[in-house]
Amino acid sequence: MTAAVRAEGVEFAFTPGEPVLCGAALEVAAGEVVAVRGRSGSGKSTFLLCLAGILAPQAGRIEIAGRDLTVLDDDGRSAVRRTSLGFVFQFGELVAELDLLGNVALPLELLGVRRSRAARHAGALLDELGLGPLARRRPGEVSGGQAQRAAVARALVHRPAVVLADEPTGSLDEENAATVLDALVGLAVRRSAALVLVTHDDRVAERASRSVTLVDGAVTDAWSAR
Amino acid sequence: MRSRPPGVPVPTLTRLGWRLLRVAAHRRTPSMVLVVLGTAAAVVSALVGLSVSTVVDARQARAEARSFHIPDDLADARMWVAEQYYPWRNRVLVRVDVALSMDTALSDAPPPPAPGLPRWPGPGEAFTSPAYARAVSRHPELASYAPGTIVGTVGPAGLRGPDELVVYGGVDRSAFPHGGLPVTGVGRGFPPTTELPPGIVARLVAFFLFCVGLPLCAFLAVAARVSARTRSRRLAALRLLGVPVRGARQVNAVEVGVLSAAGALLGVLLYPVVNVVVAGTGALGVEWFPADTALTPGRAAVTVALTVGLALVVGAHSVRAALLSPFAVRREGRVRRPSTWALLPLAAGLVVLAVLAYVRHGAHGETGAIDSSHVLLAAVALTGIGLLLAAAPLAARCGEYVAARGPSLASRLGAARAAADPGGASRLTAGVLVLVFASGILIGVTEVTRTATRPQRPVVELSVDLVGVPARARAPLLAIPGTAAAVVVRSPIRPPRMVLVRALVADCAGLTRYVGAPLPDCRPGRSYAAGPLPPGPTVALPLGPHGELTRVPVPARTLPPDVAARIRPIHVVLARPAAAALRGEYGQVLLRTPRANLDATMATLVALAPYADPDALGLNPADAAHDRVVLAVVRFGFGLGALVAFLAFAVAAVDRAAERRAADASLLVLGVSSRTLRRAQVWEVSLVMGVALAVAAAAGVLGSLAWQFTLGTDQSADTPALLVLCAAAAAAVGIGAFVAAAVSTRSLDTAALRRD
């Protein structure tokens, strides 16, 4: 089976001589949920940004849905992000000027889907996540949990092969965190997307099928939660 | 071969950019409107700058078209003319007297009339320009400048501009003292004096661009930063969603391009209105025909393209970091502390201006070993740019100082904010800084112009060469009301004694009036030595019954030095009727008249002796015309610069308030009262603007003095104007503080607490 995410020997440093990632490796299958854990400053988010093709590692190889990001230029990596990746960040990163429907429809529109059709798909997904009545509100006009669920919908609306989530519940209370996590994991699994969760929250990690830990820029252990 | 990944369709990105712009415009309408207005002002400024040389050329072309053509052979002359350029207030009145030859007058095909005239005026007739007619209605004494009956109007084709005072008079050839200038007709004849030499035009355009360009740079910097943080964040979000750098640039370009294009189009639409209004009001001191500066499609297209292009470049630069490192935008970047080295250009410029003002004070316009004007221009430019560069480090240093020692929480908070956002402080003040400095320079320019175009002494001395005065008009010259008259005659310069002796002739009463002090023991027939005289018992002077030379004994009495100093360079004073000295050709009538009476004296003088060509220190028609155009352009540039600077300030103030909303909300949550927040805002703006404008006002005063002392002759500073400048700078700080208080956060905005 082809891994949705395959990273080997990834090395990255913001400043020469001060490596953040030292040979990090990870493989995630389609439909699998993997939690990446580690202390603050261990390189979790940097690793995630390398997986997303936002940061270009100085060494190593990263494949997303069979495409090697390390040989692609910015346009190529952007195309992979557009077609095969979805993102959820701690603060959603929704576009403040667009309403929730516009935000969720955006990935489809960027793929060339007609606006009306994109809006139909986005509306359906928002309904599925219980956000239908709020579809015309802007991110600043809904609660943090609602905005984060909209971010989940945006990350999955175009059925990406991989979803990357960086502390997706970090800013939420327990109840909202559970709701968002249910939505994220449930939707990813239903759509057979590989989900990589960066977290230091045990409750989030427990929802993963597998958990890895980053220590000093390298994946040092891996264990199965279930 | 590697296949290129499919990009995001351009229409999709364009639509997205448009949607984002619409929403952003809805949420930040004031900022957006100000940006559009500022861009429009910038476009109008650019179009005006491009028009300066056009209007000068058009005025010169019309002057050339009416110039007379002088024949090689006098037999070809078909008419005789005399062109006079009279100074009138700070304007020039052009009077052209024309005498057609008898053959020409009777022929079926007289020479074509001058442009703007239906025909040549006959003897006793006059055509006058509309501006002359308007001026006569307000100043009746001006009527004496037109000979004969006014029978028509000079059309636009015959005028440099709509405000030009022009009179074409028909006369008999015998009226000309020496028969007049023989000509064949008009059109590309002897080239008239250029109103502005090409070098001056280039300098003028440079000064205009300085006045407008620097505030414009400030405006662009401000406009490019409008909602920069939120724009960067949404572009970064798009990058994370897989929009490549090029695509995100397209989205940004739509936002920036639409705004700048709207502003540019508004500017192009406004320009004809501004052109008509400004060209015809005379508010700038000069009027011009709007057609001279009409907008051509090519010029409009180039200006719009340049404006939009520049906005795109600046806009792309402002979000560069967000596009290249989208993740970095999610973390607040550290503000780089501005370098103290940025103060160096300002310091250098101020030192040069101070040295120039000191060294040139007392030089009375005399040139030194090097041309100081070039040094002056360089110092002015350096200081202007230095002010822009210095705003950030000044704000940072002063902010840090007050933040550590401020007397209240509000002062420390405001100062800390100023120190933490020196770039914002710089954008807030940049336009106003340049404006204050430019005001100082304008005071210097105005002072130089004023002294060059109008006599400055309370009593003006007019000298009239007898050669241009018909015999019948000479005696009346001595009796012009309100004047003290005397006649100067001079000895012939003949070898071997190449010595010139000037003799002042008037009766005792006349001498007392003319000198302004009684001559000691003055009696008719008495003479005084007023300066060094050649050896010998007599001097030859043209005082005979018909102006022939007669021998006059060298005076035994000598005038006291203080009296002699008032009539320098006279060598001999003869107490005898002045009329006795009016018979020759080589004397001069001197008329001393109070400055307030100058216009009436000139009017009487012109009526008596229209071709006399009176001369006086400060009465220079060519300079007056030249300086009026210079001042008009400078004032226009200054006005537009002021508008752009104000818009830059307004955009920065409004955007700053919007960007601060989240931080203010956090402070309100912490328990800081809205009153303290408002005071902190006032402290911040007062500190930032106060320090910067104090430096700018000092630079303006130095610039004014350096300009005046380097390029002018008057050595006394225009203190009231400089005080007004300083007061205006202080008022600007007050207005800034008021605006800051008005737009400060007054209540807790819970939405602002959420990160979007």
Side-chain angles (χ1 to χ4, degrees):
Chain A
M1 190 178 84
T2 308
V5 179
R6 176 176 288 134
E8 296 169 359
V10 176
E11 292 182 10
F12 183 84
F14 287 105
T15 312
E18 296 176 22
V20 180
L21 299 176
C22 310
L26 181 69
E27 199 166 300
V28 185
E32 193 182 8
V33 179
V34 173
V36 179
R37 307 176 67 186
R39 284 185 294 112
S40 239
S42 60
K44 302 187 298 290
S45 294
T46 304
F47 186 42
L48 201 72
L49 292 170
C50 286
L51 293 180
I54 292 167
L55 297 178
Q58 280 96 30
R61 180 183 166 87
I62 296 170
E63 277 182 22
I64 297 291
R67 301 199 64 182
D68 185 355
L69 295 186
T70 53
V71 298
L72 295 175
D73 60 7
D74 181 71
D75 283 358
R77 294 198 301 271
S78 294
V80 171
R81 274 205 299 280
R82 222 160 43 234
T83 53
S84 308
L85 280 171
F87 281 95
V88 185
F89 289 103
Q90 186 174 354
F91 294 104
E93 300 304 324
L94 297 173
V95 179
E97 287 77 8
L98 300 179
D99 57 24
L100 299 188
L101 188 70
N103 265 289
V104 177
L106 193 53
L108 293 173
E109 287 187 54
L110 293 176
L111 289 171
V113 177
R114 284 180 57 186
R115 197 170 161 192
S116 55
R117 199 169 158 217
R120 209 163 50 244
H121 279 286
L125 195 52
L126 284 171
D127 283 339
E128 195 180 329
L129 295 177
L131 295 171
L134 305 176
R136 287 297 174 191
R137 293 207 188 161
R138 295 211 176 85
E141 298 166 347
V142 296
S143 73
Q146 289 163 339
Q148 202 64 344
R149 271 188 285 156
V152 168
R154 191 180 69 175
L156 282 145
V157 70
H158 55 305
R159 297 184 177 274
V162 178
V163 176
L164 304 173
D166 187 2
E167 305 281 10
T169 59
S171 62
L172 302 176
D173 60 43
E174 201 171 325
E175 190 183 337
N176 269 312
T179 311
V180 168
L181 208 54
D182 284 347
L184 177 62
V185 174
L187 212 51
V189 170
R190 276 204 300 282
R191 297 189 171 205
S192 301
L195 173 60
V196 179
L197 280 164
V198 163
T199 185
H200 57 256
D201 185 337
D202 289 341
R203 284 166 301 184
V204 175
E206 281 168 11
R207 301 291 296 271
S209 46
R210 197 153 59 87
S211 207
V212 297
T213 305
L214 262 175
V215 177
D216 294 334
V219 178
T220 55
D221 66 301
W223 54 274
S224 180
R226 285 185 273 182
Chain B
M1 195 177 115
R2 276 170 58 184
S3 62
R4 190 129 196 99
V8 182
V10 172
T12 303
L13 293 172
T14 307
R15 276 200 307 271
L16 181 60
W18 176 242
R19 270 163 70 196
L20 291 172
L21 174 68
R22 267 175 32 212
V23 178
H26 184 67
R27 295 177 78 188
R28 294 196 165 183
T29 309
S31 299
M32 300 290 179
V33 169
L34 287 170
V35 167
V36 170
L37 287 178
T39 310
V43 167
V44 172
S45 307
L47 290 172
V48 171
L50 291 173
S51 300
V52 171
S53 60
T54 311
V55 74
V56 170
D57 288 347
R59 290 168 73 91
Q60 186 64 17
R62 280 192 295 274
E64 282 181 14
R66 72 186 183 197
S67 62
F68 288 100
H69 195 267
I70 304 166
D72 295 330
D73 185 350
L74 283 182
D76 295 335
R78 304 187 68 189
M79 52 201 282
W80 290 267
V81 298
E83 282 184 280
Q84 296 297 126
Y85 294 84
Y86 301 117
W88 189 74
R89 305 205 159 197
N90 65 338
R91 299 166 73 176
V92 177
L93 189 148
V94 182
R95 175 167 147 181
V96 183
D97 285 356
V98 182
L100 297 179
S101 71
M102 188 59 74
D103 293 346
T104 303
L106 296 175
S107 74
D108 292 336
L117 288 185
R119 60 178 173 81
W120 291 111
E125 293 180 335
F127 289 97
T128 61
S129 64
Y132 174 84
R134 286 195 300 274
V136 166
S137 66
R138 289 195 299 272
H139 308 283
E141 75 271 14
L142 202 58
S144 65
Y145 284 72
T149 309
I150 296 171
V151 294
T153 303
V154 184
L159 305 170
R160 282 186 194 257
D163 59 347
E164 194 179 24
L165 304 171
V166 177
V167 175
Y168 279 92
V171 296
D172 190 87
R173 196 186 163 199
S174 63
F176 297 134
H178 297 285
L181 182 70
V183 298
T184 54
V186 291
R188 312 288 166 196
F190 191 73
T193 312
T194 51
E195 224 170 5
L196 288 179
I200 295 289
V201 174
R203 276 192 201 182
L204 203 53
V205 172
F207 190 81
F208 181 87
L209 292 178
F210 174 79
C211 281
V212 178
L214 287 183
L216 205 57
C217 288
F219 176 79
L220 274 178
V222 168
R225 294 288 306 176
V226 166
S227 45
R229 193 177 299 169
T230 49
R231 190 145 45 103
S232 293
R233 283 178 69 83
R234 69 172 170 263
L235 289 177
L238 291 180
R239 289 278 290 127
L240 297 176
L241 287 176
V243 176
V245 172
R246 206 174 43 244
R249 277 201 185 118
Q250 281 172 24
V251 173
N252 187 49
V254 171
E255 293 187 49
V256 175
V258 168
L259 274 185
S260 57
L265 288 174
L266 181 63
V268 167
L269 291 174
L270 280 177
Y271 175 77
V273 181
V274 173
N275 185 33
V276 169
V277 170
V278 179
T281 56
L284 301 170
V286 169
E287 294 176 30
W288 63 89
F289 294 114
D292 289 348
T293 47
L295 192 58
T296 61
R299 187 174 287 180
V302 167
T303 309
V304 170
L306 281 177
T307 307
V308 175
L310 189 62
L312 290 177
V313 170
V314 176
H317 183 76
S318 69
V319 293
R320 194 163 168 268
L323 298 183
L324 296 179
S325 319
F327 187 67
V329 174
R330 298 174 67 226
R331 297 171 173 168
E332 296 299 333
R334 276 185 306 157
V335 178
R336 215 172 53 181
R337 194 168 187 262
S339 166
T340 309
W341 288 107
L343 296 170
L344 196 60
L346 174 64
L350 288 177
V351 167
V352 177
L353 287 180
V355 169
L356 270 179
Y358 180 76
V359 170
R360 299 297 301 169
H361 187 225
H364 294 279
E366 293 159 16
T367 52
I370 55 168
D371 187 353
S372 309
S373 64
H374 292 136
V375 180
L376 175 71
L377 290 177
V380 166
L382 188 63
T383 308
I385 294 165
L387 277 171
L388 289 180
L389 295 176
L394 279 175
R397 300 297 177 278
C398 295
E400 285 164 6
Y401 183 85
V402 179
R405 299 170 181 80
S408 62
L409 173 65
S411 65
R412 290 191 296 276
L413 181 59
R417 283 178 155 191
D421 186 16
S426 165
R427 285 187 291 277
L428 188 70
T429 55
V432 192
L433 280 185
V434 174
L435 195 63
V436 169
F437 177 57
S439 305
I441 301 297
L442 185 62
I443 290 171
V445 173
T446 308
E447 191 64 9
V448 169
T449 309
R450 189 177 62 78
T451 53
T453 55
R454 287 290 284 173
Q456 297 304 302
R457 295 182 179 164
V459 174
V460 182
E461 181 170 282
L462 291 160
S463 68
V464 183
D465 273 336
L466 289 176
V467 71
V469 182
R472 66 178 186 286
R474 291 182 178 183
L477 283 183
L478 300 174
I480 293 178
T483 64
V487 179
V488 169
V489 290
R490 56 180 183 267
S491 65
I493 305 173
R494 288 184 189 147
R497 295 172 65 190
M498 303 289 285
V499 179
L500 177 74
V501 175
R502 294 174 201 274
L504 184 72
V505 185
D507 57 25
C508 284
L511 282 173
T512 301
R513 271 205 313 277
Y514 180 80
V515 176
L519 269 62
D521 201 18
C522 184
R523 285 181 198 158
R526 199 159 263 187
S527 60
Y528 303 86
L533 288 166
T538 60
V539 290
L541 292 168
L543 294 169
H546 302 290
E548 65 273 27
L549 290 173
T550 57
R551 304 301 301 184
V552 175
V554 169
R557 292 180 180 77
T558 303
L559 279 181
D562 61 318
V563 176
R566 295 175 185 218
I567 53 174
R568 204 167 282 149
I570 296 295
H571 304 97
V572 178
V573 175
L574 301 174
R576 58 176 77 178
L582 292 174
R583 295 163 193 142
E585 287 287 301
Y586 302 106
Q588 287 175 316
V589 174
L590 302 182
L591 297 165
R592 285 190 169 177
T593 179
R595 196 169 55 196
N597 195 41
L598 182 61
D599 292 338
T601 302
M602 281 293 294
T604 312
L605 193 54
V606 169
L608 288 171
Y611 313 110
D613 216 2
D615 191 21
L617 188 65
L619 270 187
N620 187 334
D623 275 2
H626 161 273
D627 289 333
R628 281 182 71 228
V629 176
V630 169
L631 264 188
V633 175
V634 169
R635 282 178 187 147
F636 201 11
F638 183 77
L640 283 171
L643 178 64
V644 174
F646 173 76
L647 286 169
F649 172 77
V651 171
V654 170
D655 193 55
R656 204 172 153 89
E659 292 275 312
R660 287 274 164 85
R661 210 171 290 148
D664 285 350
S666 305
L667 288 168
L668 286 169
V669 167
L670 283 176
V672 175
S673 70
S674 59
R675 192 176 168 195
T676 305
L677 269 185
R678 193 161 58 249
R679 284 183 175 171
Q681 285 270 39
V682 170
W683 261 97
E684 181 185 357
V685 170
S686 304
L687 181 73
V688 165
M689 290 187 75
V691 172
L693 287 184
V695 175
V701 170
L702 269 182
S704 165
L705 297 178
W707 193 284
Q708 183 186 337
F709 297 160
T710 304
L711 301 181
T713 52
D714 189 1
Q715 297 296 305
S716 55
D718 188 353
T719 310
L722 293 176
L723 287 175
V724 168
L725 172 68
C726 295
V733 178
I735 292 169
F738 178 78
V739 171
V743 299
S744 71
T745 304
R746 288 170 189 278
S747 58
L748 180 57
D749 177 9
T750 49
L753 284 171
R754 292 180 191 162
R755 288 194 59 176
D756 51 15

